[in-house]
Amino acid sequence: MERLHDTSTNGFGPIEHVYSLKDIDYVTRKIAEDEWMALGTAIAEAMYEMILDVGDEALHEMGFVERMSVTDKIAEDVTSAVEKIINKLGAQPLQQGTTTFNCSGHDLSLLVLSSVSDAIEAYCGITNIDAPFFQLNQEVNHRIRNRRRQLLLKHAKGYQSVKDIERDIEASRKHWVRDVLGGKAAKNFHFGEVTTKGGNLHTHQEEKQKKKKRARLLSSLLSIDV
């Protein structure tokens, strides 16, 4: 493993003797993906619950199958929309800027705006994201740096690899999904995806299945291994 010897080049103390700059960059990107998608999940769940509350009377007039179909579609649409925004916000996770969750009264109702604000505040453990000095990117960057330091210190003690850190990040998030959203969501959870209590049986998994079917069809038509 590549080793770093110049302790003045970073603020990790003895960690530079265990992990290379490439390792640390990989861990940073993994944590950034995790933090942004978890924030997206918190936002999507808040919006999903708000929509179900607003449409509660109409949903109760439906039969069970129809109601499940409608709620699954709502979950799919909400997670897809939130994930697109989160992907844009997290494209450059450690860059300083004024980027924020881009929604306004022109695009969403005040009720949705309130749900989004509450979800961000609850996930980040802060209050008043409408304050003029608040920047979401900076808040998430702060969380990323803190987690990076904690994880590197934790795994450096046993001289564990980056893959051990990666498994730790993924396992921790799955436990978080189970605690916050329940067993159904955790069962179908795939790292890096936004989800809700309704589970993750929507566009991502459906698209993967479609790709597999297309690959098998192509293989049979061309008589090649795919």
Side-chain angles (χ1 to χ4, degrees), residues 47-65:
M47 293 176 65
Y48 177 65
E49 291 294 336
M50 180 274 299
I51 292 170
L52 294 185
D53 286 344
V54 170
D56 182 66
E57 185 175 338
L59 287 171
H60 273 85
E61 293 178 358
M62 300 177 183
F64 176 78
V65 175

Side-chain angles (χ1 to χ4, degrees), residues 7-162:
T7 58
S8 66
T9 60
N10 61 67
F12 295 113
I15 297 173
E16 69 274 12
H17 298 296
V18 179
Y19 299 109
S20 68
L21 288 174
K22 182 179 179 181
D23 291 338
I24 293 172
D25 179 65
Y26 181 84
V27 170
T28 301
R29 286 185 283 109
K30 188 75 177 181
I31 295 171
E33 179 186 11
D34 181 45
E35 284 292 333
W36 280 110
M37 288 304 161
L39 175 61
T41 289
I43 292 170
E45 175 61 19
M47 293 176 65
Y48 177 65
E49 291 294 336
M50 180 274 299
I51 292 170
L52 294 185
D53 286 344
V54 170
D56 182 66
E57 185 175 338
L59 287 171
H60 273 85
E61 293 178 358
M62 300 177 183
F64 176 78
V65 175
E66 184 183 9
R67 184 165 65 250
M68 289 299 99
S69 177
V70 170
T71 55
D72 286 348
K73 187 65 170 69
I74 292 170
E76 177 184 335
D77 289 345
V78 167
T79 53
S80 178
V82 171
E83 194 165 274
K84 287 178 182 177
I85 297 173
I86 289 296
N87 278 326
K88 290 180 180 179
L89 290 178
Q92 295 180 315
L94 292 183
Q95 296 296 316
Q96 298 297 325
T98 58
T99 312
T100 186
F101 196 85
N102 186 25
C103 55
S104 67
H106 296 294
D107 305 312
L108 300 168
S109 71
L110 291 176
L111 189 59
V112 173
L113 283 172
S114 177
S115 297
V116 169
S117 297
D118 290 347
I120 293 174
E121 290 176 354
Y123 179 78
C124 295
I126 57 177
T127 57
N128 194 15
I129 68 169
D130 296 320
F133 54 81
F134 177 78
Q135 292 184 11
L136 183 56
N137 266 36
Q138 290 185 4
E139 182 63 33
V140 175
N141 289 348
H142 179 67
R143 292 175 63 89
I144 292 167
R145 291 188 180 95
N146 283 345
R147 279 190 68 194
R148 178 179 64 191
R149 180 171 180 79
Q150 291 169 1
L151 284 166
L152 291 176
L153 284 169
K154 173 183 175 181
H155 291 275
K157 293 177 182 177
Y159 280 76
Q160 295 176 313
S161 71
V162 171

Side-chain angles (χ1 to χ4, degrees), residues 175-191:
H175 285 307
W176 179 85
V177 170
R178 183 179 292 107
D179 291 343
V180 174
L181 302 178
K184 180 181 178 181
K187 180 181 178 181
N188 300 312
F189 175 71
H190 289 258
F191 184 84

